[in-house]
Each structure stands twice: as C-alpha cells, then as structure tokens.
Amino acid sequence: MTDAVNRALSAYSQIDLETAVNSATPVQLIILLYDGAISALAAAKGQMQDMKFAEKGRLISKAIGIVDGLRAVLDFERGGDISQNLGELYEYMKRRLAVANLKNDPAGPTEVISLLNELRSAWLLLEEHDRNA
C-alpha cells in the first residue's frame, strides 16, 4: 500500500475509534480499553518475531499505559476485595510485560492477553446484563 492509503486508513480508524468512544457507556469504554491493550500486545508479539525491538517496546509501553489507566480508575473504597484483587492483577500484568519487554519474551504478552481476554469476557457479560435490564 502507498503511504497515502495508509494515512487515509489510519485517519479513518481514528475517526471510527473516536465515534465509538463518544457513544460508549462506561462498561463499553472499559471493553474498548481491553481491546486496545490486547491489540497492542498482539502487534508487539509480531514485532518481536520480526526483531523490530523499538516498535515492540512502544507497543508494550502502550499496553502497560492502558493497564495502568485501568488500575488508576479502580475505586478501592467502594470496590472492596474485587477492586483490590483487580488492582493486584493489573500490577502483575505490568510487571510481567516489563520483564517480557526486557527479555524479548513473547510468553509475557501471550499470558497478559489471556488474562485481559478473561476480564474482557466478564465485562461483556455485564454489558449484556445492562442491555437486558
């Protein structure tokens, strides 16, 4: 593809994402964040295989930033054990990704993608429940 086509596709996907974010419920926003982290980590694994370590590092940093943002919005007072456990899981994910980034170990992103997919599934169930309520 030409650079012009790539730029057009990128601009279109950015508009699509902005539209999704602007019309999303709080639960849908969480799901979008999970999607973003999962996507970044899947791409990082590809960059590891292609030995494009700078891009791999950028993508893992993006995923760590998303996970950090998810942790930052937890309400530890009202959320009790659930918030505490989620907070600890998010911290584990960040550490796992940092080590994987340093060692160029694709097992780290693979594990975190699996964890994020499990959490994402729970949020999808919550979204479905909210729609049917």
Side-chain angles (χ1 to χ4, degrees), residues 17-123:
L17 177 61
E18 287 175 14
T19 301
V21 167
N22 289 333
S23 63
T25 65
V27 171
Q28 290 168 335
L29 287 173
I30 298 295
I31 294 167
L32 285 170
L33 288 169
Y34 284 130
D35 289 345
I38 291 165
S39 176
L41 292 173
K45 286 175 55 177
Q47 298 301 318
M48 277 184 196
Q49 290 174 340
D50 293 343
M51 297 186 168
K52 295 182 179 176
F53 300 119
E55 183 63 10
K56 174 258 332 183
R58 186 190 70 77
L59 289 162
I60 288 179
S61 292
K62 178 180 179 179
I64 289 171
I66 292 170
V67 170
D68 200 37
L70 288 163
R71 187 188 182 291
V73 298
L74 292 173
D75 185 342
F76 291 101
E77 277 186 33
R78 293 187 354 200
D81 287 345
I82 292 173
S83 290
Q84 187 66 39
N85 292 339
L86 259 179
E88 290 172 9
L89 183 58
Y90 290 147
E91 286 298 320
Y92 169 78
M93 288 180 196
K94 289 170 33 182
R95 286 191 309 273
R96 186 71 172 101
L97 290 173
V99 170
N101 191 28
L102 289 172
K103 295 183 175 184
N104 293 311
D105 177 16
T110 298
E111 178 184 358
V112 173
I113 287 170
S114 177
L115 293 168
L116 290 169
N117 274 321
E118 285 189 44
L119 293 171
R120 183 182 183 280
S121 294
W123 284 96

